[in-house]
Amino acid sequence: MELINDEYYMRLALQLASSASGQTGINPAVGCVIVKDGRIVGMGAHLKRGEAHAEVHALNMAGAEAEGATAYVTLEPCSHHGRTPPCSDRLIRERVKRVVVAATDPNPLVAGSGLERLRAHGLEVTQGVLEGEANLLNEAFNKFIVTRRPFVTVKTASTLDGKIAAKTGDSKWITNDASRSFVHTLRHRHLAILTGIGTVLADDPALTTRLSVPGLNPMRVVVDSALRIPPDAQLVRDGAAPTVVLTTDRAPEARRRELEARGVTVIDCGPGPAVDLYAAMAKLGELEIGSLLVEGGGKLNGALLAARLVDKLVLFLAPKIIGGGALAPGSMDFAGFERMGEAIRLERMSVQSFGEDLCITGYPQYAGGKEAQ
């Protein structure tokens, strides 16, 4: 019975955490529920980087009821001083009796020390309740905090025959309104959107989040080896969110100065002729971009896959067949493999429907069973 109750309250805590997904910066999304005598006395979520953590919000709500209560937390309480005081100390001070934790914190500054601190002060600790769901919620944080590289999600929208545009270049619209609305939710939940210069020149996208309830606009990042991005492109002139252009040492200095004068950050990623994607990921990590949503064309998607830099794929499929052969661009354009046994496999797949559209989500496994670099 205790396990059933633990899962029930932990699921509530996960729902609280998920509600704030995308607005905590590089910090994880965390939820906390405090229960005493079968009654919820406090709830909270981490809402913004640098502000109170979930445990603090929940303890403030619980007040004196926290003494002798059980706290359900989706991620191990921190034990170090960062922008906020350690949550483990607050739980101890409020005389919480038991702490149930979903996932341990991969942050080297925590990494089990929060749980050890709680146990050392006599609190009962249970860990691993709905751990898989908690880790899925914070998959980007879990990678970034260890590698200092962004978690890369490639999103595509294609016809059933794998085309992202007709042979004329027309691509509006492949998927339906419901699918496109969900893409804006994905934008809200990522710290940056990556696209290629080909997409910018063809579509002049804004790459902003447009939801019925206003969402957060992520940083816009463009892979542009020769700085061909026009000064009047929406990404340059609209000011809706910061824009970063990843280029090479060969980029024209005059265009670089012009873009920087307009507020665009230009970052060199290798000598050229193409942008070094490994260097690009390192540079974005230095900017504390922990989650990256790729909305590019087939060449950028293919280059990232070939470099084994993709952590997750979100593939929207519309019930359409458009043909066009080589004249109609596909969603993944790279040299490919000689044998079917070398193909990139998707694992941990899930399927959602948005009206008549399907959305397949999976995690690529590269040759040798390896995940993304």
Side-chain angles (χ1 to χ4, degrees):
M1 181 62 71
E2 183 176 84
L3 177 59
I4 295 174
N5 287 339
D6 284 349
E7 289 187 354
Y8 173 79
Y9 291 119
M10 186 60 75
R11 203 169 296 282
L12 291 178
L14 284 167
Q15 290 172 2
L16 287 169
S18 180
S19 67
S21 179
Q23 64 182 55
T24 58
I26 61 168
N27 282 10
V30 182
C32 178
V33 172
I34 299 178
V35 179
K36 187 174 185 180
D37 299 329
R39 183 170 59 91
I40 296 173
V41 296
M43 297 188 297
H46 180 42
L47 301 177
K48 185 178 180 181
R49 186 185 183 195
E51 296 186 358
H53 288 185
E55 299 94 319
V56 173
H57 286 302
L59 288 167
N60 287 344
M61 180 182 290
E65 295 277 14
E67 183 173 354
T70 296
Y72 294 87
V73 192
T74 59
L75 186 67
E76 174 184 1
C78 61
S79 57
H80 66 289
H81 284 271
R83 295 190 176 191
T84 58
C87 292
S88 56
D89 287 358
R90 179 71 187 272
L91 290 164
I92 293 166
R93 190 167 67 250
E94 298 291 345
R95 299 182 182 277
V96 170
K97 180 181 179 181
R98 179 171 177 247
V99 178
V100 181
V101 174
T104 54
D105 193 336
N107 185 346
L109 294 175
V110 183
S113 63
L115 300 183
E116 292 174 5
R117 187 170 182 81
L118 294 174
R119 290 189 177 105
H121 283 79
L123 280 72
E124 179 186 347
V125 175
T126 301
Q127 61 188 95
V129 177
L130 300 184
E131 181 178 16
E133 294 180 34
N135 281 329
L136 182 63
L137 176 65
N138 283 316
E139 58 189 359
F141 167 78
N142 291 345
K143 176 183 178 179
F144 178 79
I145 201 66
V146 174
T147 67
R148 310 305 293 185
R149 301 289 188 273
F151 185 94
V152 179
T153 298
V154 169
K155 185 278 298 180
T156 67
S158 67
T159 59
L160 291 179
D161 51 341
K163 303 301 183 180
I164 60 174
K167 61 184 180 181
T168 61
D170 178 56
S171 61
K172 292 184 171 50
W173 294 102
I174 294 175
T175 53
N176 60 30
D177 290 344
S179 295
R180 296 198 299 275
S181 178
F182 183 69
V183 170
H184 287 285
T185 299
L186 289 177
R187 290 180 179 180
H188 168 79
R189 292 177 177 174
H190 286 76
L191 290 177
I193 301 177
L194 181 73
T195 195
I197 184 58
T199 298
V200 174
L201 294 176
D203 300 334
D204 190 24
L207 299 181
T208 51
T209 301
R210 298 182 292 280
L211 294 166
S212 56
V213 177
L216 299 175
N217 288 326
M219 177 186 291
R220 288 87 58 92
V221 183
V222 182
V223 177
D224 183 4
S225 58
L227 286 188
R228 293 188 292 152
I229 184 170
D232 61 349
Q234 286 195 78
L235 298 179
V236 176
R237 59 180 168 79
D238 67 8
T243 296
V244 172
V245 177
L246 306 175
T247 190
T248 67
D249 297 346
R250 301 186 180 190
E253 189 61 33
R255 175 57 63 86
R256 184 193 308 268
R257 289 195 300 269
E258 182 179 12
L259 290 171
E260 290 176 340
R262 292 172 176 260
V264 175
T265 299
V266 181
I267 300 176
D268 288 334
C269 298
V275 168
D276 182 332
L277 293 175
Y278 298 101
M281 294 303 127
K283 297 287 187 180
L284 292 175
E286 292 173 4
L287 295 177
E288 295 193 328
I289 297 301
S291 56
L292 186 65
L293 180 64
V294 181
E295 294 193 48
K299 290 184 178 179
L300 178 58
N301 296 341
L304 288 166
L305 278 171
R308 300 188 176 194
L309 291 172
V310 179
D311 295 285
K312 185 176 182 178
L313 286 163
V314 179
L315 311 174
F316 288 89
L317 296 176
K320 302 174 183 178
I321 297 173
I322 199 165
L327 296 177
S331 58
M332 310 285 173
D333 184 1
F334 63 110
F337 306 103
E338 296 182 359
R339 298 181 181 276
M340 192 59 66
E342 300 174 301
I344 299 168
R345 295 182 59 86
L346 288 190
E347 297 188 351
R348 294 178 283 153
M349 287 177 54
S350 61
V351 180
Q352 293 174 270
S353 60
F354 294 91
E356 294 182 337
D357 294 347
L358 293 180
C359 178
I360 300 173
T361 299
Y363 298 81
Q365 295 291 311
Y366 300 93
K370 296 180 179 180
E371 296 184 350
Q373 299 186 24

